[in-house]
Amino acid sequence: MPSPKILVIPGSLRTGSHNAKLAAVAVSEFAQAGVDVSRISLADFPLPIYDGDLQAKSGVPKHAINLKRMIGAHHGVLIVSPEYNASVPPLLKNAIDWVSRVHELNEARGEVFRNRIFALAGASQSRLGAARALQSLRLILTSCHANVIANQLTLGFADQAYDDMDRLKHQGDIDAMKEMVRQLIDVSQRMM
C-alpha cells in the first residue's frame, strides 16, 4: 500500500513556541514511520483578517489559495495549536476561514476539508495542554466537514516537557505522540 503524504501546520509563529517544538517532534515521528512529511509556517501564507466585504471586492487572497493547494497536496494534516484565552489563536482561525472560502474550478467550496484526514495536537504550560483550543478547533474543522481522528495530543506543562534537544522527555507524551501519528497515517492510508 502506498504511503500517505502528511502536512504538519504549527498554529504559532512565536519564537521558542512550545507548539512549534511539538510540530518538529511530530515531523520527526512521521519521518521515522516512513511517510512523506512536510512542515509549513503560516508566516509563509500571510492573510488579512477575514472580511466578507473584502472577499466580495477583491476575491480570495492568493495566499489562501496557495495554502488550500498545499493542504490539498497531502492526504493527512496535523495541526498543532496553542491555546489563546481557552480557544484557537486568531492566526489559525483566520487561515481556516480563508481556506474554507477557496472555490476552484470543478471543486466545491471547502472540498479540501472533506477529502483530507486531520489530527490535532497542542501544547501549553497549563496542565490542560491546550485541550480547550483543540476542542474548539475540532468543532471548527468538523463544521467545514473535515474528518478529524479521535486521538489527539494535549501536552500539558510544556515548559517542562522537552529535553535539551527539544525532544519529548516523558514516556506518556512520547506514547501519545506515537499513537496519534500512527492513527493519522493509518486513516489517511485507508482514505487514499
Side-chain angles (χ1 to χ4, degrees):
M1 186 176 280
S3 180
K5 290 178 67 176
I6 304 294
L7 179 65
V8 177
I9 305 174
S12 176
L13 303 179
R14 188 175 58 79
T15 301
S17 163
H18 296 302
N19 288 278
K21 288 180 187 178
L22 190 58
V25 170
V27 167
S28 177
E29 196 64 39
F30 283 116
Q32 287 177 35
V35 300
D36 183 359
V37 61
S38 303
R39 177 180 168 189
I40 62 169
S41 171
L42 291 177
D44 295 329
F45 302 90
L47 294 165
I49 298 296
Y50 179 75
D51 177 343
D53 290 339
L54 176 63
Q55 180 185 353
K57 179 181 175 185
S58 306
V60 175
K62 70 175 182 163
H63 289 299
I65 295 167
N66 293 340
L67 179 56
K68 177 259 170 199
R69 288 177 179 165
M70 177 62 76
I71 293 169
H74 294 81
H75 303 100
V77 179
L78 169 61
I79 299 175
V80 185
S81 178
E83 182 172 292
Y84 289 10
N85 298 318
S87 191
V88 179
L91 172 73
L92 184 55
K93 175 68 166 77
N94 191 55
I96 293 168
D97 289 345
W98 273 117
V99 168
S100 73
R101 301 302 192 255
V102 176
H103 181 168
E104 296 196 87
L105 189 62
N106 299 321
E107 188 177 85
R109 192 177 85 190
E111 188 171 321
V112 72
F113 293 106
R114 288 184 202 88
N115 296 324
R116 307 273 119 15
I117 304 302
F118 288 81
L120 307 177
S124 77
Q125 292 185 35
S126 78
R127 70 179 167 79
L128 296 177
R132 296 170 298 186
L134 298 188
Q135 181 180 9
S136 296
L137 185 54
R138 184 176 295 273
L139 180 62
I140 292 164
L141 289 169
T142 56
S143 74
C144 292
H145 306 287
N147 296 301
V148 184
I149 65 169
N151 278 334
Q152 64 182 28
L153 175 60
T154 55
L155 184 66
F157 305 111
D159 55 326
Q160 304 165 33
Y162 302 98
D163 65 17
D164 58 358
M165 301 288 289
D166 287 339
R167 296 175 300 210
L168 294 175
K169 65 181 181 181
H170 303 297
Q171 193 59 49
D173 297 333
I174 294 167
D175 293 343
M177 173 65 78
K178 288 182 183 298
E179 181 57 34
M180 182 198 59
V181 163
R182 177 53 41 210
Q183 187 179 22
L184 182 57
I185 292 169
D186 290 347
V187 177
S188 296
Q189 207 161 33
R190 286 197 303 268
M191 297 292 288
M192 291 173 58

